[in-house]
Amino acid sequence: MRIAEISTPEHFQAAAAPDSQSPSQNQHNQLLPQIQSKIKQTESHSPGTPLPDSLPSELRQLLTNLTQLTPFPAANNSLKLHLWKLSYRLWNACVDFSNAAAIRSPSSNRSSQNVTKLRHVAADMLSLAVDVVGVPSPAIKSASFYYKTGLAWHDHKIFDLASTCFERATDLLSKLDVSKILDAGERKLLLDLNLARSRTAWEISDKNLALTLLNRSKTLLFGSSAHFIALANQFLAFAKAVLSRNENNGSFNDVLKLLNEALNLCEKGLPISRTREETVEIKELKSKTMRFISAVHLQNGEFESVIKCVKVLRENGGEKGDHHASLPVLAMKAWLGLGRYSEAEKELKGMVVNKGIPEGVWVSAVETYFHAVGNAGVETTKGVFLGLLGRCHVSARAALRVVHRVVGDGNGIEGLRTRGKVVAELASDERVVALFASEAVAKERTAMHAVLWNCGSGNFRLKDYETSAEMFEKSMLYIPHDLENRVIRAKGYRVLCLCYLVLTQLDRAQEYINEAEKLDPNIICAFLKFKICLQKNDHCGATNQIQKMISCLDFTPDFLSLAAHEAIASRALPVAVAALSNFLNFYNSGKPMPTTEVVVLRTVVTILSQDLDKEAEVLKFLKQAHKRASELGDESFFGKGEVGRRERNWFAVTSWNFGAKCGKEKNYELCAEFLRLVSGFYSLMGDGQMEENNVTICKSLIMTVSAMIASENQNTTPLPDAEVKHAVELLERAGKLFFHIILQWDACMQILTSLSVGNIEGDTHFIYVLNAYDMHGRLNNLESQHHIVKNFAGTKTCSPQYLLQIGLNASQGPRFNAEVATFALSECLSGFLSSPSPNYQDVALIVRRLIAIASIHKGNTDDDAVLSMYKQAYRIMVGLKEGEYPTEEGKWLAMTAWNRAAIPVRMGEINVAKKWMNAGLELARKVAGMETYQAYMEDYVAEFEKKFHTQVASEIQPQQVQ
């Protein structure tokens, strides 16, 4: 059977019902020695060792067997006395076990429960002989055993057995006439039993029974102030239990009922108190109850009631009124609830002089006040806290709570600034700093540093850098000066450096970063020094600092990228270039990089493009890009697809633009280098992609050679043979591209756009022919020169003006080519004459130049060739209006033709002389203004005809031509 079953009164009645006859003496004699033996075994058991689990079970079984022999004969009083003795012996043994366990150490729950089981056996054993004769108040003593056993079960939270014990005790006492109980202890037992039953009922959530038992206890007070106090305490305990559960507002009425019951009991018990101690105790209980009533009103938002309760508490007893630590807090919260902040501030300041207020209470009060008042209560909070420092010991934990509460969320930049100043004053107070000095509060010191640091970070994010710097400085007060914390101190110095950098207080920033570097030299220190140099416009120092950054052990290339961004933001373009130049050096290492090399090179070129006179540096980085693309491959360097195409085109176009710029500025040497790169970038593509850029490649190749020639002319230094050969190779490549393109007229129309490089203007094809003619002339390749010009003359892009320029170039200078000059000028003359309205000024120029070439190239060996040119000029002039052919050119033709007869006349070559004189006369007739000369010529010719057989050479005088 379970203990609960054999311990109930119903079981006793059931066990006794089958046999109403008294057991025989032999049966009693068999059971009692066994019980006595077990009790003796219990008494002899060492208190230092746990009781065996079997002992309570065996005793319970023997007692059950004995219970079946009840009721005992009334005449057998000795049996009952013997049971009393055995019960007391067992009880006393249990007391010894409990005392020994209390002295030694708390025993295990199982061992303690075994002792309580033995107590329960002792109580049940005593109840079997409750009608013994010769023992005073046997029912009260038996009830006392049950009461104490019930308390033990209650402590073990086995409430069903506790309730059973209390009910057995109540049954035993219910048979007594309460009015006849005069002993104070017995009266106290009656009340305590009722209160114990009430507590157990409360624990098993039978609140109605619990309250019923409390109300029933009002009849058991017997006019004793101690009883009033006990009952009032129980009402108060139940009220506190309800409050602690944080139930909804519907429970406040129940709590107030319980508290009012306790208050009424205190008021009734106060007049009957006999001793000063009782009076003091009941007054304290009354005040305590009223404070709880105030707390309930406060929790329910009934602030006026709270103020009334506090007022009553303070006024009772005059100067000795209640000054409990909770009263200022209750009053302050009530005033805050009523919105009367000045009254709340008075209550808060009053706590400073009240030394009885615990630390936790006033810290909580400060937090509540500050939460309600906000920024307006910052100064009050500071004053209260510093006042408390002056009058009592304040723990580091309390100081931390106050500072944390003052920091709060800030409510915007103004709130953070206001609170930050107060926090800075609190944190920097020597007394506050001293609270965190010992190692015992290391955890709180770290938390304080974190609070100040976070406050500084918040202000920094809101760009209130002055307050931020101040908060970071105060946080440094809470970092120990030891080796373990030097990294944290260095971090603080670095952040302070950053704050003063933003505030442009560069000297202070320099001081802080120097201190940080002493403690923990790393890349961040080097980078912040770099920023300081930038803000000081010390570009040389910033560039040197880049090298120091690279030498740091924790350096990563990302810092060079960041340095370049900072330099660009500061318009320190040389520093940005230096940073990115060093950044580029790491791409050869093969390590993963934060960005692609082509992006870095493009950025460098873009930066340099913003500055003047940086063409040489731009050229260097463009060449580096071309070199790296050649090494890595087109797609690996520029990227794949459309992205790679755009990157490549950007570099090619940039090279072209810089080439054009340098050409306009007559810096032909750089111009040639830039234009050479254009074809170089496009040539990195595959054949399919390169074909779409053939026009641009062709242009760049041709203009590269043009720039080389222009540079030669500018520097008056002949091109080396190697450069000449290289130029020829470029032109050959351009020629192949050009003649591939020109087969397609649409593509040809693209290449026939004008292009300006320095002072050279004209069609790309024409420039190509001029350059090719020049370079082949340097190589003394006359046949190639003639072939190039002849091919050009057969193209649709050729014009008489182009041929005129080629002919003039070929007919003058150190590399004279009569054949090319004659061909070009002849073709040019044919072109001009075939036009609807020829420019006879150009025609006259060509004729004069052809006559000059023929005279120089053929001389006297082919006089007819020269004469034919004069005759061609005459045919041109036939049919022209007066003055349409340039007069001066016509005079020149007539006079030179006439003068050419002088030598044949002297030499006696009459026929040759006659040809030239006739040619001059015919030309003179076509030129206006030569009438006088014409008459003279006609007379002379007539005379010459008459005397052709006579020597007349000496009579002919050459005419001076102007």
Side-chain angles (χ1 to χ4, degrees):
M1 272 185 191
R2 296 199 305 269
I3 295 174
E5 294 174 349
I6 65 173
S7 301
T8 57
E10 291 80 6
H11 175 74
F12 288 133
Q13 295 171 5
D19 188 6
S20 60
Q21 296 179 359
S22 300
S24 64
Q25 188 67 33
N26 291 334
Q27 291 175 316
H28 292 160
N29 292 337
Q30 289 175 0
L31 291 173
L32 289 177
Q34 294 179 20
I35 294 173
Q36 185 172 354
S37 174
K38 292 298 180 183
I39 293 174
K40 187 174 182 181
Q41 181 182 345
T42 303
E43 290 173 331
S44 62
H45 188 81
S46 173
T49 57
L51 283 171
D53 295 340
S54 59
L55 186 58
S57 309
E58 293 170 353
L59 270 173
R60 170 58 64 187
Q61 185 59 45
L62 291 173
L63 184 61
T64 301
N65 296 336
L66 183 62
T67 303
Q68 293 175 355
L69 300 178
T70 57
F72 301 133
N76 197 355
N77 196 53
S78 61
L79 174 63
K80 297 176 182 179
L81 287 173
H82 190 51
L83 285 175
W84 270 71
K85 291 178 182 179
L86 291 176
S87 175
Y88 266 87
R89 284 175 60 187
L90 181 59
W91 185 270
N92 291 336
C94 292
V95 172
D96 292 338
F97 284 125
S98 298
N99 292 339
I103 295 173
R104 183 179 67 255
S105 62
S107 58
S108 66
N109 188 51
R110 187 178 186 83
S111 177
S112 180
Q113 285 190 20
N114 285 335
V115 174
T116 305
K117 289 177 182 178
L118 292 177
R119 286 178 180 270
H120 204 157
V121 171
D124 285 340
M125 190 183 300
L126 193 63
S127 68
L128 294 177
V130 70
D131 56 347
V132 66
V133 178
V135 177
S137 306
I140 292 178
K141 289 182 172 58
S142 179
S144 175
F145 272 33
Y146 277 119
Y147 168 69
K148 293 176 181 178
T149 303
L151 292 178
W153 284 126
H154 189 94
D155 291 340
H156 289 304
K157 300 187 182 304
I158 303 177
F159 300 116
D160 55 345
L161 292 180
S163 179
T164 299
C165 290
F166 293 144
E167 289 171 359
R168 291 295 303 274
T170 302
D171 288 341
L172 290 171
L173 295 177
S174 63
K175 300 174 183 179
L176 302 177
D177 187 357
V178 176
S179 60
K180 294 181 179 180
I181 300 176
L182 301 177
D183 183 75
E186 293 176 354
R187 289 182 171 182
K188 187 67 166 60
L189 176 63
L190 294 175
L191 178 64
D192 290 344
L193 178 60
N194 237 27
L195 297 179
R197 279 191 69 192
S198 177
R199 285 193 296 271
T200 302
W202 186 275
E203 291 293 343
I204 60 177
S205 299
D206 193 352
K207 294 182 180 180
N208 291 330
L209 176 60
L211 295 178
T212 300
L213 291 170
L214 285 186
N215 288 321
R216 190 182 299 172
S217 299
K218 294 177 182 178
T219 62
L220 303 174
L221 298 177
F222 302 109
S224 170
S225 60
H227 290 193
F228 279 92
I229 293 171
L231 185 55
N233 271 322
Q234 193 58 58
F235 274 110
L236 181 60
F238 284 168
K240 289 165 66 176
V242 176
L243 285 174
S244 65
R245 293 174 185 172
N246 295 321
E247 296 179 358
N248 56 27
N249 294 334
S251 65
F252 288 131
N253 292 331
D254 295 336
V255 174
L256 284 175
K257 288 179 182 179
L258 293 171
L259 292 173
N260 286 328
E261 289 286 353
L263 184 61
N264 291 334
L265 288 170
C266 291
E267 290 176 349
K268 291 178 181 179
L270 189 60
I272 62 174
S273 58
R274 296 181 177 84
T275 64
R276 182 175 178 276
E277 289 76 11
E278 288 180 349
T279 303
V280 171
E281 184 178 2
I282 203 167
K283 283 184 177 181
E284 289 179 353
L285 182 57
K286 179 182 177 181
S287 296
K288 183 178 181 180
T289 304
M290 288 193 68
R291 289 195 297 272
F292 271 99
I293 291 174
S294 299
V296 172
H297 285 307
L298 182 65
Q299 196 168 354
N300 204 25
E302 299 169 351
F303 304 117
E304 293 286 356
S305 299
V306 176
I307 298 299
K308 291 178 182 178
C309 289
V310 172
K311 186 177 181 180
V312 170
L313 285 168
R314 286 175 172 172
E315 291 177 353
N316 283 346
E319 295 181 358
K320 296 182 179 180
D322 192 352
H323 297 288
H324 192 269
S326 64
L327 294 183
V329 179
L330 291 169
M332 184 201 72
K333 290 183 177 181
W335 290 124
L336 289 174
L338 294 171
R340 296 172 64 175
Y341 299 125
S342 59
E343 298 294 336
E345 183 177 341
K346 290 179 182 178
E347 294 290 347
L348 185 63
K349 290 181 177 179
M351 295 182 188
V352 177
V353 297
N354 190 344
K355 296 183 178 181
I357 298 178
E359 179 183 274
V361 173
W362 61 254
V363 170
S364 177
V366 168
E367 290 178 335
T368 303
Y369 174 81
F370 194 76
H371 178 74
V373 179
N375 294 335
V378 170
E379 291 296 332
T380 300
T381 302
K382 182 188 74 173
V384 170
F385 181 73
L386 295 178
L388 289 167
L389 280 175
R391 74 162 178 81
C392 65
H393 174 71
V394 178
S395 69
R397 184 181 296 275
L400 174 62
R401 283 181 60 184
V402 171
V403 171
H404 190 274
R405 173 57 65 182
V406 172
V407 169
D409 57 7
N411 295 324
I413 186 169
E414 289 300 325
L416 268 178
R417 182 181 291 113
T418 302
R419 297 184 180 202
K421 292 179 180 178
V422 173
V423 169
E425 293 177 12
L426 286 174
S428 60
D429 190 282
E430 294 181 356
R431 294 169 294 178
V432 177
V433 176
L435 297 177
F436 296 85
S438 67
E439 287 302 317
V441 291
K443 184 177 179 181
E444 286 77 10
R445 182 172 60 241
T446 302
M448 185 68 159
H449 173 265
V451 169
L452 297 173
W453 182 277
N454 293 337
C455 184
S457 299
N459 282 281
F460 192 91
R461 285 191 294 272
L462 292 173
K463 299 184 179 180
D464 182 10
Y465 302 114
E466 292 184 1
T467 305
S468 176
E470 187 175 13
M471 296 308 300
F472 285 128
E473 285 178 347
K474 303 312 178 188
S475 72
M476 298 290 288
L477 298 172
Y478 297 89
I479 304 176
H481 293 264
D482 53 21
L483 291 176
E484 294 179 358
N485 291 280
R486 69 174 183 271
V487 174
I488 300 177
R489 291 189 66 79
K491 182 180 179 182
Y493 284 132
R494 289 195 295 269
V495 172
L496 284 168
C497 168
L498 190 59
C499 290
Y500 286 110
L501 261 176
V502 179
L503 294 170
T504 65
Q505 298 182 25
L506 303 181
D507 291 338
R508 294 194 69 177
Q510 187 72 52
E511 291 176 8
Y512 280 120
I513 200 59
N514 288 340
E515 291 298 320
E517 195 169 40
K518 292 176 184 177
L519 294 171
D520 183 27
N522 58 18
I523 182 61
I524 300 177
C525 293
F527 180 76
L528 289 175
K529 282 190 171 184
F530 168 80
K531 283 180 64 68
I532 293 172
C533 291
L534 283 182
Q535 292 205 17
K536 288 182 176 180
N537 290 323
D538 182 7
H539 293 179
C540 181
T543 305
N544 293 334
Q545 196 61 37
I546 290 174
Q547 299 302 321
K548 293 182 180 179
M549 288 167 57
I550 297 173
S551 64
C552 291
L553 296 177
D554 54 345
F555 166 79
T556 60
D558 300 83
F559 280 95
L560 288 177
S561 177
L562 187 59
H565 284 291
E566 293 289 339
I568 293 171
S570 302
R571 300 302 300 169
L573 301 185
V575 180
V577 172
L580 293 175
S581 299
N582 285 280
F583 192 45
L584 288 169
N585 295 334
F586 289 92
Y587 282 93
N588 293 324
S589 63
K591 296 180 180 178
M593 298 295 285
T595 187
T596 57
E597 187 175 6
V598 67
V599 171
V600 179
L601 281 164
R602 173 161 47 81
T603 305
V604 174
V605 173
T606 303
I607 293 170
L608 290 172
S609 302
Q610 301 175 25
D611 209 349
L612 298 176
D613 302 327
K614 295 294 182 182
E615 288 80 6
E617 291 189 54
V618 171
L619 178 63
K620 180 183 74 171
F621 286 105
L622 288 174
K623 284 185 174 180
Q624 183 175 347
H626 182 264
K627 178 184 177 183
R628 290 291 293 166
S630 301
E631 294 173 352
L632 300 176
D634 179 58
E635 290 188 348
S636 298
F637 181 75
F638 291 114
K640 297 181 179 180
E642 183 65 17
V643 174
R645 188 186 67 81
R646 289 180 180 179
E647 288 287 0
R648 185 190 315 103
N649 288 347
W650 187 91
F651 279 92
V653 171
T654 301
S655 300
W656 178 273
N657 292 339
F658 269 96
K661 178 176 180 290
C662 291
K664 291 177 181 179
E665 295 173 355
K666 298 184 179 181
N667 190 347
Y668 299 117
E669 185 176 353
L670 287 179
C671 173
E673 294 289 341
F674 280 117
L675 293 175
R676 191 177 304 173
L677 280 173
V678 176
S679 59
F681 281 117
Y682 282 126
S683 298
L684 293 170
M685 293 185 273
D687 294 337
Q689 292 178 312
M690 189 173 68
E691 188 171 345
E692 66 185 29
N693 296 293
N694 279 346
V695 174
T696 306
I697 296 173
C698 184
K699 286 182 180 180
S700 66
L701 292 170
I702 295 170
M703 301 316 299
T704 299
V705 178
S706 298
M708 293 169 67
I709 297 172
S711 176
E712 178 190 44
N713 297 333
Q714 186 181 55
N715 298 329
T716 65
T717 303
L719 285 175
D721 292 342
E723 287 293 309
V724 173
K725 291 179 180 179
H726 179 63
V728 171
E729 291 175 359
L730 294 178
L731 290 170
E732 288 177 353
R733 183 179 167 200
K736 292 178 182 178
L737 290 172
F738 178 79
F739 289 111
H740 173 72
I741 296 169
I742 206 170
L743 293 175
Q744 304 173 6
W745 179 249
D746 291 339
C748 182
M749 293 304 293
Q750 297 177 29
I751 202 171
L752 294 180
T753 57
S754 61
L755 178 69
S756 174
V757 180
N759 292 328
I760 301 175
E761 297 183 358
D763 180 74
T764 306
H765 193 187
F766 171 61
I767 297 173
Y768 161 76
V769 172
L770 284 179
N771 292 339
Y773 176 84
D774 189 333
M775 290 299 136
H776 283 286
R778 294 168 190 261
L779 297 175
N780 202 25
N781 193 345
L782 302 182
E783 184 179 353
S784 295
Q785 286 182 309
H786 186 268
H787 179 72
I788 290 169
V789 175
K790 187 177 181 179
N791 286 342
F792 175 63
T795 63
K796 295 180 180 181
T797 59
C798 181
S799 69
Q801 289 290 346
Y802 294 158
L803 290 172
L804 174 60
Q805 184 66 44
I806 294 171
L808 293 176
N809 285 355
S811 63
Q812 61 190 12
R815 288 179 284 276
F816 174 74
N817 191 329
E819 184 180 359
V820 172
T822 302
F823 172 79
L825 291 173
S826 298
E827 291 293 322
C828 175
L829 182 60
S830 299
F832 279 136
L833 294 176
S834 63
S835 66
S837 54
N839 184 345
Y840 288 102
Q841 186 70 43
D842 291 337
V843 170
L845 174 63
I846 296 168
V847 170
R848 180 188 282 213
R849 186 55 61 94
L850 283 172
I851 291 171
I853 294 170
S855 300
I856 297 170
H857 181 54
K858 297 183 179 180
N860 296 326
T861 60
D862 192 0
D863 198 52
D864 291 339
V866 179
L867 181 60
S868 66
M869 293 303 304
Y870 280 92
K871 289 182 177 180
Q872 185 179 5
Y874 172 78
R875 289 192 295 271
I876 292 171
M877 296 170 68
V878 172
L880 295 180
K881 296 178 182 180
E882 183 179 339
E884 193 171 357
Y885 193 92
T887 302
E888 293 300 323
E889 290 294 327
K891 289 181 180 180
W892 181 87
L893 287 170
M895 298 304 291
T896 54
W898 180 265
N899 289 341
R900 283 181 179 274
I903 295 175
V905 169
R906 290 175 184 174
M907 298 297 294
E909 297 177 355
I910 303 303
N911 292 330
V912 174
K914 188 176 179 179
K915 289 178 183 179
W916 285 113
M917 285 189 289
N918 289 333
L921 180 58
E922 289 176 353
L923 287 168
R925 289 171 181 167
K926 296 296 181 182
V927 179
M930 291 193 71
E931 289 79 6
T932 303
Y933 287 98
Q934 180 183 342
Y936 169 78
M937 290 178 180
E938 288 176 347
D939 292 342
Y940 189 85
V941 170
E943 187 68 24
F944 182 78
E945 289 288 344
K946 294 177 182 180
K947 301 177 181 180
F948 68 90
H949 57 278
T950 307
Q951 185 68 25
V952 293
S954 59
E955 297 179 8
I956 298 176
Q957 298 297 326
Q959 301 295 317
Q960 184 175 0
V961 180
Q962 306 234 341

